[in-house]
Amino acid sequence: MDDVEIVGWGHTPFGRLPEETLESLIVAAAREAIASAGLRPREIDEIVLGTYNAGLQPLAFPSSLVLEADDDLLFTPATRVENACASGSAALLCGVRAIRSGQARRVLVVGAEKMTHASAEVVGGALLGADYEHAGECAPAGFARLFADVAEAYFTKYGDHSDALARIAAKNHRNGVVNPYAHLRSDLGFEFCSTVGPRNPVVAGPLRRTDCCPVSDGAAAVVLAAPGGAPRAPAVRIRALAQANDFLPAARRHPLAFAAAHGAWQAALGQARVRLSDLHLLELHDCFTIAELLEYEVVGLCPPGGGGQVILGGVVDRDGTLPVNPSGGLKAKGHPVGATGVSQHVMAVLQLTGTAGAMQIPGATVAGVFNMGGLAVANYASVLERVR
């Protein structure tokens, strides 16, 4: 993968954006990414759009919406890809493959979702479309109920980790305060996140509202290029981008194993020829706090059951040994489903190019990204490194 570079990037604010449409979000992120790369729109060879939709929008054929960013994109091949909450990373992988195959030299990748106009029932039903057993059901709790089952299984095996989940939420909310793109920019603190009350009710099982990412609107985009394909400096090289899928029926997956997530992560480290200790930060898919806790195991920060000690010990704090989600993660930054995978990569790129502002991790040159679709079904892991 290390013959593909990220040379431009764009990112809209995430949040409840009633004045925006799916089209306007896509256009804004695409224009910014192309300009950031120092390219003219006619120099883009291919476009890949990641968006989940699943009934959230009546328009189910949005690939050519990207062409609205500039008339000079007319006739550029554009394809929409979908892989649940990993749709953005799926689009990124398609762009990487187009360059590596020689079919394209510069690819614009956009991830976007417009969600907040829909009711809780519609959003919950759309998200459950990514689950084998519950697709077609309409439930406001949506995927929260599925991850609540995971949390309950974890607590049964390793003891009550409610405080650990609250510490993860508090960390990510604290980080989100300094992210200008974040949906939620309030430092809620551990006491608030650990206390059930009218402002922090139980959503499902042991998961409180603060354990769940918000429903968000937003878009993010990157321009990929072969080395020398764009004038922009600095640039970030994709050292690795690996995908691994698990079985879709829940009965064929152990709820705590995240087996395909492990597979994708190990494949990425192998492709990049790095160890965990070589990374300076991670952007992990914390759609729910229990997901981040389990992902500490996936990336190798602890053995099974050890996630509570990781968060309690400060290892993953901004000033810790390996900061996790300095952007605030999905928990605070927001989770416009199709945008998330691309957004995670943009957040990592900002860190590696020293342009993350108040989010900056000093001296960061190598980062890891993990994005998953469904309950650890479609898994993507990346290793990024600044090259100039």
Side-chain angles (χ1 to χ4, degrees), residues 103-320:
Q103 295 297 305
R105 185 163 173 77
R106 305 174 191 90
V107 178
L108 173 63
V109 177
V110 183
E113 212 74 62
K114 174 69 176 171
M115 306 177 70
T116 64
H117 62 287
S119 68
E121 288 76 14
V122 169
V123 172
L127 296 178
L128 283 175
D131 183 71
Y132 181 80
E133 286 79 13
H134 300 285
E137 295 180 8
C138 185
F143 249 73
R145 178 63 260 174
L146 306 184
F147 276 89
D149 292 343
V150 172
E152 288 170 346
Y154 195 93
F155 291 9
T156 297
K157 187 168 186 178
Y158 300 115
D160 190 332
H161 277 63
S162 297
D163 280 358
L165 300 188
R167 292 184 190 282
I168 290 171
K171 168 185 70 74
N172 290 345
H173 277 288
R174 185 168 61 247
N175 290 347
V177 170
V178 295
N179 183 350
Y181 303 107
H183 185 161
L184 304 175
R185 300 184 65 190
S186 298
D187 185 356
L188 299 179
F190 169 72
E191 184 176 351
F192 180 87
C193 294
S194 62
T195 303
V196 174
R199 296 176 59 207
N200 190 27
V202 169
V203 175
L207 300 184
R208 301 145 296 203
R209 179 179 290 164
T210 49
D211 292 308
C212 310
C213 70
V215 173
S216 310
D217 307 326
V222 295
V223 175
L224 306 178
R232 194 194 197 290
V236 169
R237 180 169 297 153
I238 300 177
R239 289 279 302 273
L241 177 49
Q243 176 185 359
N245 272 51
D246 210 331
F247 295 116
L248 192 57
R252 303 197 68 183
R253 289 177 280 117
H254 190 285
L256 303 182
F258 277 36
H262 280 277
W265 183 253
Q266 290 303 315
L269 294 185
Q271 287 178 16
R273 301 176 297 280
V274 299
R275 297 172 296 179
L276 183 65
S277 58
D278 296 319
L279 306 180
H280 298 136
L281 68 124
L282 298 173
E283 286 288 335
L284 299 183
H285 190 102
D286 60 321
C287 50
F288 300 93
T289 52
I290 185 63
E292 180 168 325
L293 191 75
L294 277 163
E295 286 158 18
Y296 295 161
E297 301 176 10
V298 168
V299 301
L301 280 169
C302 63
Q309 292 304 309
V310 171
I311 186 65
L312 183 64
V315 173
V316 293
D317 288 348
R318 285 182 50 80
D319 58 354

Side-chain angles (χ1 to χ4, degrees), residues 304-339:
Q309 292 304 309
V310 171
I311 186 65
L312 183 64
V315 173
V316 293
D317 288 348
R318 285 182 50 80
D319 58 354
T321 308
L322 184 59
V324 170
N325 290 332
S327 68
L330 285 61
K331 181 66 206 69
K333 176 164 58 71
H335 183 28
V337 173

